[in-house]
Amino acid sequence: MAAARAGPVELGFAESAPAWRLRSEQFPSKVYAPLPGRADAFHRGIFLFCCREPPCCAGLRVFRNQLPRKNDFYSYEPPSENPPPETGESVCLQLKSGAHLCRVCGCLGPKTCSRCHKAYYCSKEHQTLDWRLGHKQTCAQPDHFDHIIPDHNFLFPEFEILIETEEEIMPEVVEKEDYSEITGSMGEALEEELDSMAKHESGEDTIFQKFKTQIALEPEQILRYGRGIAPIWISGENIPQEKDIPDCPCGAKRILEFQVMPQLLNYLKADRLGKSIDWGILAVFTCAESCSLGTGYTEEFVWKQDVTDTL
């Protein structure tokens, strides 16, 4: 793990956005992090995946992809900031290549409803879910079948991430009062007790207080981005050492790219899904050299730190 650098931190905030923007041709359903001066990383994205099932939500996966400006997937010119007039809030569940997408999860949908032949799915399980939650009615009325993605309470809610640069937080200056006369008058027993209490003040409390101070000015932040900076931990437990962060397959060290904050859980509405996922900090480490991948993806590394019971 390379040494952390000092530098500005970019804060991410969740913002509601219309469906057309969330699924426009170049809208990054990821952390979009191009590298200035790197022609091969004009488009660069970090994808973080989390299963909503509690038993495996610790098994997070993160992948990196990067492309030059001229490529086979994105337009050379930036996308329009205005919605296409013909789409409105509707979302087409078919790619330009002709491939169809699952109505439940948005993944490739090679399976189709044998009755209407207009609804596509990635699996029998998702077809069953869609049938139970509405397709049973629309299937018999193909003229009323639309391309608006139904809400199956299956996926996490989607948001746009707005970025702002973090302002430096000046530590509060607290004047220390002189208690020497008080402790002297109350005897050595009290002084020894105070010393004992001070020694029992754990580093855990100190780290958590530092965490709270750091986010105090922007408590709604869901992401902290700064390639190569040091993460801020929420707990003194389960902090990775250098040996815990594996090197990239190319041989380079991995450095922190960004960290996901616990505030994001408030937006995911895990309770609405009937599931319980949780974390304190998700720290994403990527190749320090951002090695070239062609058109593929490479798996990077994510460290999950939980909130301890002592906090």
Side-chain angles (χ1 to χ4, degrees):
M1 186 165 56
R5 66 168 176 82
V9 177
E10 303 293 330
L11 304 181
F13 301 89
E15 181 80 7
S16 297
W20 72 267
R21 181 161 173 78
L22 290 173
R23 296 174 181 84
S24 65
E25 183 177 353
Q26 292 192 25
F27 188 86
S29 56
K30 54 190 176 266
V31 174
Y32 188 68
L35 296 181
R38 285 281 299 270
D40 64 326
F42 183 89
H43 295 290
R44 181 173 176 274
I46 313 296
F47 299 79
L48 179 60
F49 294 89
C50 172
C51 178
R52 68 189 186 128
E53 297 288 340
C56 73
C57 71
L60 297 135
R61 306 285 295 274
V62 60
F63 296 87
R64 173 173 56 89
N65 169 259
Q66 58 194 50
L67 296 167
R69 183 172 183 177
K70 186 177 181 180
N71 60 79
D72 296 331
F73 304 95
Y74 298 133
S75 168
Y76 188 83
E77 299 300 329
S80 172
E81 291 293 325
N82 300 314
E86 71 279 3
T87 60
E89 289 295 315
S90 297
V91 176
C92 183
L93 291 172
Q94 184 175 10
L95 302 179
K96 289 184 177 180
S97 64
H100 293 273
L101 304 179
C102 175
R103 277 171 53 85
V104 176
C105 67
C107 294
L108 287 177
K111 302 180 183 300
T112 183
C113 174
S114 60
R115 189 176 179 183
C116 69
H117 300 287
K118 290 190 175 184
Y120 291 81
Y121 306 96
C122 66
S123 64
K124 183 69 175 180
E125 290 77 13
H126 283 187
Q127 181 179 4
T128 302
L129 177 62
D130 189 40
W131 181 264
R132 187 171 67 249
L133 296 179
H135 185 58
K136 182 178 180 179
Q137 288 73 37
T138 59
C139 183
Q141 303 173 3
D143 293 339
H144 294 85
F145 191 83
D146 57 44
H147 294 289
I148 297 176
I149 293 180
D151 183 8
H152 299 93
N153 289 345
F154 179 81
L155 299 176
F156 293 125
E158 293 181 272
F159 297 90
E160 183 175 4
I161 300 179
L162 300 184
I163 300 297
E164 295 180 6
T165 302
E166 181 181 49
E167 296 181 8
E168 291 189 7
I169 301 175
M170 299 299 294
E172 294 183 4
V173 178
V174 180
E175 294 184 4
K176 295 183 178 181
E177 299 184 32
D178 186 1
Y179 293 103
S180 59
E181 294 183 4
I182 299 176
T183 55
S185 63
M186 298 185 70
E188 294 181 358
L190 176 58
E191 189 172 358
E192 291 176 1
E193 182 180 352
L194 292 173
D195 287 341
S196 177
M197 291 173 63
K199 290 177 181 178
H200 280 83
E201 182 180 1
S202 67
E204 187 78 19
D205 293 333
T206 302
I207 290 174
F208 185 55
Q209 289 301 323
K210 181 179 180 181
F211 174 85
K212 291 201 300 182
T213 300
Q214 188 69 42
I215 69 171
L217 288 183
E218 299 290 353
E220 296 300 316
Q221 58 186 272
I222 64 168
L223 182 141
R224 297 176 62 83
Y225 183 90
R227 200 158 183 269
I229 66 169
I232 58 170
W233 301 107
I234 198 170
S235 165
E237 297 185 9
N238 197 32
I239 294 179
Q241 304 299 313
E242 183 173 355
K243 61 181 177 60
D244 297 321
I245 310 298
D247 292 346
C248 178
C250 75
K253 296 290 184 181
R254 282 192 170 102
I255 59 175
L256 182 79
E257 180 107 10
F258 64 88
Q259 68 180 84
V260 179
M261 308 295 281
Q263 288 88 331
L264 178 59
L265 292 166
N266 297 328
Y267 295 92
L268 295 185
K269 298 182 180 179
D271 291 341
R272 179 176 70 93
L273 299 171
K275 306 295 180 182
S276 176
I277 58 171
D278 197 16
W279 64 73
I281 292 296
L282 300 179
V284 173
F285 295 86
T286 61
C287 175
E289 300 298 326
S290 198
C291 54
S292 183
L293 309 168
T295 59
Y297 295 79
T298 190
E299 185 161 10
E300 297 288 11
F301 184 76
V302 56
W303 184 272
K304 179 174 180 280
Q305 186 190 49
D306 291 312
V307 180
T308 65
D309 294 334
T310 59
L311 299 180

